[in-house]
Amino acid sequence: IGKENEGWAALMTALASERVLIGAAVMRTHRAFDRLLTLLRANPEAVTPRRRGSYSSEIGRLAVGLQAARALVNRAVREIASGESGSAPMAKIAATEMSEDLNATAVGLLGPDSLYQWGVDGASGDGYFEDGLRVSMMGVIAGGTGDIQRNMVARTIGLPK
């Protein structure tokens, strides 16, 4: 199990690995982003009329956030492999909040028809973004809420409790 009186360190290492696995869901977010781009390229009219003039800036913002989240998750994976875990909380925050942001933005761009579940006639995006939004809300909480993760990041960089 480990050395006596080092249980907390063992637990923190295990939790860091869990956070990296939760953060690895960023790949699903990347697939959702690709799906959104494919849908918008094939049918730009799918965007609700009031959002048509500004949706390209939303796509750009999502692309940048997605790349940042992927970079943090990759860094955390390398750290875990070498026995460190400092960026695991940052990776978890970035990846799970990016997932929620992307799916919520997709629903906002595509309108209420994107909230239908898969298999419902007329579901914009075939229910993919509705499912992604529901799942992403769980990811933000899993493995410790964002507030808990932010406290861990603060301690890692030497800020007081």
Side-chain angles (χ1 to χ4, degrees):
I1 295 176
K3 295 180 182 176
E4 189 173 341
N5 296 321
E6 291 185 10
W8 182 251
L11 178 62
M12 293 309 292
T13 300
L15 289 173
S17 297
E18 177 191 35
R19 289 181 191 101
V20 170
L21 287 173
I22 293 168
V26 75
M27 296 313 297
R28 178 184 169 139
T29 307
H30 195 158
R31 285 192 307 275
F33 183 71
D34 289 344
R35 183 178 291 250
L36 179 61
L37 288 179
T38 299
L39 191 150
L40 294 177
R41 285 182 184 132
N43 183 13
E45 299 297 310
V47 177
T48 60
R50 67 180 178 82
R51 304 277 301 264
R52 284 189 189 141
S54 64
Y55 83 90
S56 62
S57 64
E58 291 287 329
I59 297 299
R61 181 184 60 76
L62 291 172
V64 170
L66 181 58
Q67 291 305 316
R70 288 182 61 198
L72 278 169
V73 169
N74 287 335
R75 178 180 175 177
V77 168
R78 286 191 304 275
E79 285 180 0
I80 293 291
S82 69
E84 299 174 26
S85 61
S87 63
M90 289 183 280
K92 192 269 185 190
I93 293 166
T96 57
E97 290 183 2
M98 182 68 232
S99 178
E100 187 174 24
D101 183 20
L102 185 136
N103 286 290
T105 300
V107 166
L109 290 173
L110 300 173
D113 288 349
S114 63
L115 290 171
Y116 289 129
Q117 294 179 340
W118 180 82
V120 173
D121 287 339
S124 183
D126 296 324
Y128 194 82
F129 303 110
E130 178 273 337
D131 180 68
L133 185 57
R134 279 188 296 111
V135 170
S136 70
M137 291 175 194
M138 292 183 287
V140 171
I141 297 168
T145 66
D147 289 341
I148 291 169
Q149 302 306 314
R150 284 176 177 82
N151 283 333
M152 294 176 74
V153 170
R155 286 188 200 128
T156 300
I157 61 174
L159 295 176
K161 290 184 180 182

